[in-house]
């Protein structure tokens, strides 16, 4: 009965989380780590905005500024947005498809610990020789020439956390394909599950390109390889291709699950089924597919020639079509509904105009010729913040607030959530809308300082003021989390009057999720039972023993091994011993795992009958 | 080619643009992509306006529906149990919002492709008989954190400030000595990456008005990325010819007027010539200083005065607080100079003004008074001190120069007529 | 039920896919190979971009000899075939024969690896073609080395499976493990066919 961790005490709880293979607990781990890194990345953003509050400002040095901007981007994408996406996927996807667990609980845990140690490694760089300073894109040869070990930390840290993400991705693909409850056909899957599934496919095919790129960067820097060194026949543009072959799908890896969140939140609070469900699914798949063939729109100014530029420009514009379909489907889900302005819904409603602007500037950027002006200017900065903050971050917060009761059994304070939204939303537009103009007025991105008398002073000041609004908003949210958890008022299994399967079980769910496998009779199964049945999901199978996986400390040790080995590879010399130790720990853990049979255990029928709750809503 | 239908939009947008200008949203004329002064920037500006119009149409449609549904379909207080109809979808509507965006995108895609090809075209210009004309090619080298310009087949090299003739296409061939940079003069044209060996890029630059235009590095290239500024100085074709002629004559051995400057010259030759060249030498380890005396800014962005220059020399470009140009590569220079010697070198460098054609000649360009002050802060100084020493050798040239510049302004005004 | 997983009698026709865990492993591994494909595609792309950039070092046609590589190809292809035999016997529940054929597979794998090490040694000492010689050399050693690393990992994997299960037969618990190890081995083989074509044949001919 290790999974339930009946033992009391902090030590026991800690050990439970270090060894857990329960997707719900892993979801919480992702959430905590993701929010931590989100705050860290936010502080870095504040440093950037304070530096740019006035012309010729010398608040921080040029070198430190480059480190801050690099770490801001890297942290926000890889260490905040990705894990928060995984937090929601872990917390929700198995429940939405009526599964008792994910396909690979062990791999799931390994994925988290690899991500976590990779993230820690990246941030250790602050204290050892300085953080990476070549931008989150780490374009060669700047990243090759960069002194110190900052970029090594970038390459090895991301490599480790990238492995974790890849494993998480495979886990969710197989979970969705193999673990669906009886009756949960593909076209009955909730949109969030669909988008998580497609995002996982994107992870699977996009991350290996980054893996290869990072290996080359590491080999160039640490082992004298010549991939990107022009003097030895290398070519710096290869890095750009590999990075963006990964990097562009990455954008969709982030935004698609956010779309999924909105596709859950909007129908719930409009009390209406999702308009055009099948075209939403189709649009998701199409966006993912097109997302793989547009990477070079990040490289219009590289000099690929007009033919390549035109092809990539038109392909990029094509993505606007399925995205537009989604926007209109959401609008028409609202049409004729009965809209409740709860806080997740307010985030969703804030998202629609914001993301529309982000999408529009996206199309403008897709126009290759015009991109010669936009590229690498603050226009681009504004664009991708509209997409990533206005799309992904609003989506993540909508999702976190929406599923908070399911994850923790408590309800965040609605009033504070509204305060959070308005501060964050107004601050966001103040910060970033104006940056479109800064870019067109001639301010390139990644500028440590801008000069006086160039007409850039006022807008930069406004932008910085907006950033403070966002910071205050985030503080309100954190305060809300703390007081909610301290009060600890429990809520029912279905506090939002929602539609999908996860709301049919108690909050938080028992560790085996569903006592009996649920029978799914259509899209929005809980809603169907509410309107056509007795409000309870019918079981598909009789009550029986439930097979559960054992907890394991191996994932933690495997990841720790790679973390230690990373330092050895980086510092070399006598530090090679660290690499030997680290790889030894990882290999030993793998052998241990493969030599010790892990058959899991069974929760017995008799025990289940004693447990409270009947596995359905109530 | 696209001008015909473009001009229709232009009238409508003149008002919008005017509103923007009034609200200060278009930036400074020497830096802003929203005040195009060159061929490329104008084309891109047209494309920008077209895409903004299309996008605004979409945005307005979305916002109208959005506002309507939020106002109309809020949960009714008196009927909270109202059960909306559970619509699955609507094929007609869904087809509509698939087809219309496709059409809108095609409207944008066609000129996008046309302009993409037009902007990438570096074939020689044809004259009226359809014969190929000689093209003016400039090799541009980016380096941490400065720019080098070498006029092909003309034996003229300079750094930091690129002189070009107005209304003539200048062909640029660009490469980097170290990391990737990006060459961007927003008010004349879009940007192009400046790659290390093996990936040379070409583009053209055509300024339609005289003026001093601000250039920026647009690809992160190290700590001083944000201050790797340069200028493009567009003068009349006649002035440009004169400038080239004057620059070709420089050997670096010319003796300056004052005795201090002469001492400075000697010190310069002993200490600085390994990296810096005066004249058309191919040496580009450090910036070429042939017409250093005419620079508008020091190090691309600092006020041009002797005090700054001495500090620059003594701190090897880093500045006393390390913030003049962080990461500057001049630090490897081996020289040891006293403050006095550095001052002499500075004195010498500030006399390097081989041509009567200086940024001043571009002043009849596009500026408001307030802009001019920020561009030419050294104006007062020059009239006081250093200007005198140059007066003599400039006399004959400047008379030629002013002739040419009157030509230039004529051309400028005829261009304006064309525009209207 | 858990104990059934370790029983070796009365195995179904496809023991590797008889349990949910087995089906998950089976499918997950196929997807993993999809990711591996992208990984090698990226390496191939890089190699193609850099194969004509030997800087001061030797070029492809100067150093490659097809004889040894041809033998290596035969060895690896054969090992793929022997692993098919092993899986055939696994499905028939004949544990000893499976172990035997896996043993032959491993032996062929080691032969291949030995040849590859010899080949690299030959390039480094015979032609001064080291990892840091040129962009071409870095790309070559990285691509072929990644493949070699996969071979080494595959060998370690199969050997540890053989040792772990030496004293017990095939069961529902270990059948999927054997099966995906053999899938992995086939994948390595397929990658080698591409390396043989793209690196060696194209290097020698074009």
């Amino acid at each position: 009965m290790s999974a339930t961790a009946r033992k009391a005490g902090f030590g026991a709880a800690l050990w439970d989380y270090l060894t857990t293979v329960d997707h719900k607990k892993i979801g919480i781990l992702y959430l905590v780590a993701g929010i931590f890194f989100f705050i860290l990345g936010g502080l870095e953003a504040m440093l950037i905005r304070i530096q740019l509050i006035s012309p010729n400002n010398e608040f921080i040095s040029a070198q430190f500024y480059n480190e801050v901007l690099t770490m801001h981007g890297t942290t926000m994408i890889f260490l905040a947005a990705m894990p928060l996406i995984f937090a929601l996927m872990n917390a929700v996807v198995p429940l939405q498809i009526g599964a008792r667990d994910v396909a690979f609980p062990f791999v799931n845990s390994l994925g988290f610990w690899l991500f976590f140690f990779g993230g820690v490694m990246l941030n250790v760089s602050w204290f050892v020789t300085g953080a990476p300073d070549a931008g989150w894109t780490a374009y060669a040869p700047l990243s090759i020439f960069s002194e110190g070990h900052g970029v090594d930390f970038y390459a090895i840290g991301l490599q480790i956390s990238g492995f974790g993400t890849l494993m998480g991705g495979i886990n969710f693909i197989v979970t969705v394909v193999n673990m669906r409850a009886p009756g949960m056909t593909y076209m009955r899957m909730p949109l969030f599950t669909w988008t998580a599934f497609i995002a996982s496919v994107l992870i699977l095919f996009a991350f290996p390109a980054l893996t290869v790129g990072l290996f080359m960067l590491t080999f160039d820097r640490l082992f004298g390889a010549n991939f990107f060194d022009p003097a030895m026949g290398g070519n710096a543009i290869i890095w750009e291709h590999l990075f963006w072959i990964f990097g562009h799908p990455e954008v969709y890896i982030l935004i698609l699950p956010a779309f999924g969140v909105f596709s859950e939140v909007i129908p719930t609070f409009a009390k209406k089924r999702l308009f055009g469900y099948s075209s939403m699914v189709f649009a998701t798949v199409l966006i993912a597919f097109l997302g793989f063939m547009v990477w070079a729109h990040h490289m219009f100014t590289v000099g690929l020639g007009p033919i390549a530029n035109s092809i990539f420009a038109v392909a990029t514009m094509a993505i606007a079509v399925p995205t537009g379909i989604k926007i209109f489907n959401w609008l028409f889900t609202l049409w004729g509904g009965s809209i409740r302005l709860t806080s997740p819904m307010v985030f969703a409603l804030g998202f629609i105009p914001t993301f529309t602007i982000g999408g529009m500037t996206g199309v403008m950027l897709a126009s290759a010729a015009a991109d010669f002006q936009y590229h690498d200017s603050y226009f681009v900065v504004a664009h991708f913040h509209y997409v990533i903050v206005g799309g992904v971050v609003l989506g993540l917060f909508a999702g976190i607030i929406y599923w908070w009761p399911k994850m923790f059994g408590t309800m965040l304070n609605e009033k504070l959530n509204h305060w959070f939204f308005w501060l964050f939303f107004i601050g966001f537009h103040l910060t970033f809308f104006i940056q479109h103009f800064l870019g067109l007025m001639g301010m390139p991105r990644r500028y440590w300082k801008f000069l006086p008398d160039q007409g850039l002073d006022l807008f930069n000041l406004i932008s910085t003021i907006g950033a403070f609004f966002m910071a205050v908003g985030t503080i309100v949210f954190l305060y809300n989390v703390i007081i909610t958890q301290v009060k600890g008022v429990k809520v029912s299994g279905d506090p939002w009057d929602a539609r999908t399967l996860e709301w049919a079980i108690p909050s938080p769910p028992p560790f085996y999720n569903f006592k009996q496998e649920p029978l799914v009779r259509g899209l929005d199964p809980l809603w169907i039972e509410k309107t056509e049945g007795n409000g309870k999901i019918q079981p598909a199978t009789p009550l029986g023993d439930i097979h559960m996986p054992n907890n394991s400390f191996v994932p933690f040790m495997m990841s720790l091994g790679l973390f230690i080995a990373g330092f050895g590879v980086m510092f070399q010399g006598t530090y090679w011993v660290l690499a030997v130790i680290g790889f030894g720990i990882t290999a030993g853990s793998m052998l241990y795992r493969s030599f010790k049979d892990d058959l899991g255990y069974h929760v017995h029928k008799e025990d289940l009958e004693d447990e409270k709750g009947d596995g359905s809503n109530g | 080619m696209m001008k015909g239908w473009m001009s229709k939009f232009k009238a409508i947008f003149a008002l919008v643009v005017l509103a923007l200008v009034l609200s200060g949203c278009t930036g400074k004329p020497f830096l802003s992509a929203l005040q195009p002064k060159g061929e490329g920037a104008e084309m891109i500006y047209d494309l920008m306006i077209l895409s903004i119009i299309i996008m605004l149409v979409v945005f307005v449609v979305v916002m109208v529906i959005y506002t309507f549904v939020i106002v109309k379909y809020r949960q009714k207080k008196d009927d909270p149990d109202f059960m909306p109809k559970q619509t699955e979808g609507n094929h007609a509507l869904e087809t509509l919002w698939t087809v219309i965006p496709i059409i809108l995108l095609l409207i944008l895609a066609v000129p996008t492709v046309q302009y993409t090809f037009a902007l990438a075209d570096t074939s020689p210009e044809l004259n009226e008989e359809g014969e190929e004309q000689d093209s003016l090619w400039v090799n541009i080298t980016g380096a941490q954190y400065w720019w080098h310009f070498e006029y092909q087949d003309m034996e003229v090299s300079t750094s930091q400030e690129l002189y070009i003739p107005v209304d003539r296409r200048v062909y640029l061939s660009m490469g980097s000595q170290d990391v990737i940079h990006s060459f961007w003069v927003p008010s004349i044209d879009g940007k192009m990456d400046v790659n290390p060996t093996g990936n040379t890029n070409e583009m053209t630059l055509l300024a339609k008005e005289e003026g001093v235009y601000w250039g920026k590095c647009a690809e992160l290239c190290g700590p001083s990325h944000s201050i790797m500024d340069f200028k493009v100085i567009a003068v009349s074709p006649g002035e440009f010819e004169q400038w080239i002629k004057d620059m070709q004559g420089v050997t670096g051995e010319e003796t300056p007027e004052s005795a201090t400057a002469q001492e400075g010259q000697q010190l310069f030759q002993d200490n600085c010539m390994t990296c810096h060249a005066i004249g058309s030498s191919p040496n580009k380890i450090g910036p070429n200083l042939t017409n250093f005396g005419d620079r508008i800014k020091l190090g691309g962005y600092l006020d041009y005065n002797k005090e700054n220059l001495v500090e620059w020399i003594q701190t090897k470009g880093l500045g006393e607080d390390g913030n003049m140009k962080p990461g500057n590569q001049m630090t490897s220079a081996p020289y040891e100079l006293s403050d006095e010697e550095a001052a002499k070198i500075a004195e010498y460098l500030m006399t390097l003004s081989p041509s009567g054609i200086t940024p001043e000649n571009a002043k009849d360009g596009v500026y408001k008074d307030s802009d001019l002050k920020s561009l030419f802060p050294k104006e007062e100084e020059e009239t006081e001190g250093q200007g005198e020493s140059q007066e003599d050798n400039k006399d004959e040239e400047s008379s030629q120069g002013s002739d040419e510049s009157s030509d230039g302004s004529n051309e400028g005004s005829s261009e304006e007529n064309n525009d209207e | 039920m858990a104990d059934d997983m370790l029983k070796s009698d009365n195995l179904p026709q496809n023991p590797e896919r008889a349990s949910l865990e087995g089906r998950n492993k089976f499918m997950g591994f196929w997807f993993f190979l999809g990711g591996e494909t992208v990984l090698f595609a990226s390496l191939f792309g890089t190699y193609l971009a850099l194969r004509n950039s030997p800087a001061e070092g030797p070029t492809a046609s100067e150093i490659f000899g097809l004889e040894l590589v041809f033998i290596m190809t035969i060895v690896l292809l054969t090992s793929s075939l022997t692993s098919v035999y092993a899986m055939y016997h696994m499905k028939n529940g004949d544990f000893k024969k499976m172990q035997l054929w896996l043993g032959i597979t491993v032996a062929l794998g080691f032969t291949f690896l030995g040849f590859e090490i010899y080949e690299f040694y030959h390039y480094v000492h015979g032609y001064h073609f080291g990892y840091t010689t040129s962009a071409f050399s870095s790309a070559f050693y990285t691509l072929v080395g990644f493949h070699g690393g996969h071979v080494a990992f595959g060998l370690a994997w199969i050997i540890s499976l053989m040792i772990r299960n030496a004293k017990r037969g095939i069961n529902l618990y270990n059948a999927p493990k054997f099966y995906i190890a053999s899938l992995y081995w086939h994948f390595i083989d397929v990658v080698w066919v591409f390396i043989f074509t793209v690196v060696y044949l194209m290097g020698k001919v074009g």
Side-chain angles (χ1 to χ4, degrees), chain B residues 218-239:
Chain B
E219 184 64 65
L220 181 63
C221 58
S224 285
H225 164 55
S226 63
I227 42 185
M228 192 178 152
D229 290 2
F230 62 96
K231 318 287 168 300
V232 170
I233 294 158
V235 293
S236 70
E239 286 170 324

Side-chain angles (χ1 to χ4, degrees), chain B residues 9 28-29 31 52 100 102 109 125 207-208 210 238 241 248 254 298 300 303 334 369-370 385 389 395 403 407:
Chain B
F9 291 118
K28 297 287 183 186
L31 181 63
I52 289 173
I100 292 180
I102 291 178
E125 281 181 289
K208 291 195 166 178
E210 289 188 24
E241 293 299 323
Q248 282 167 337
E254 295 84 353
L298 185 65
D303 284 347
D369 281 344
S370 61
S389 62
D395 256 351
D403 281 343
D407 284 352

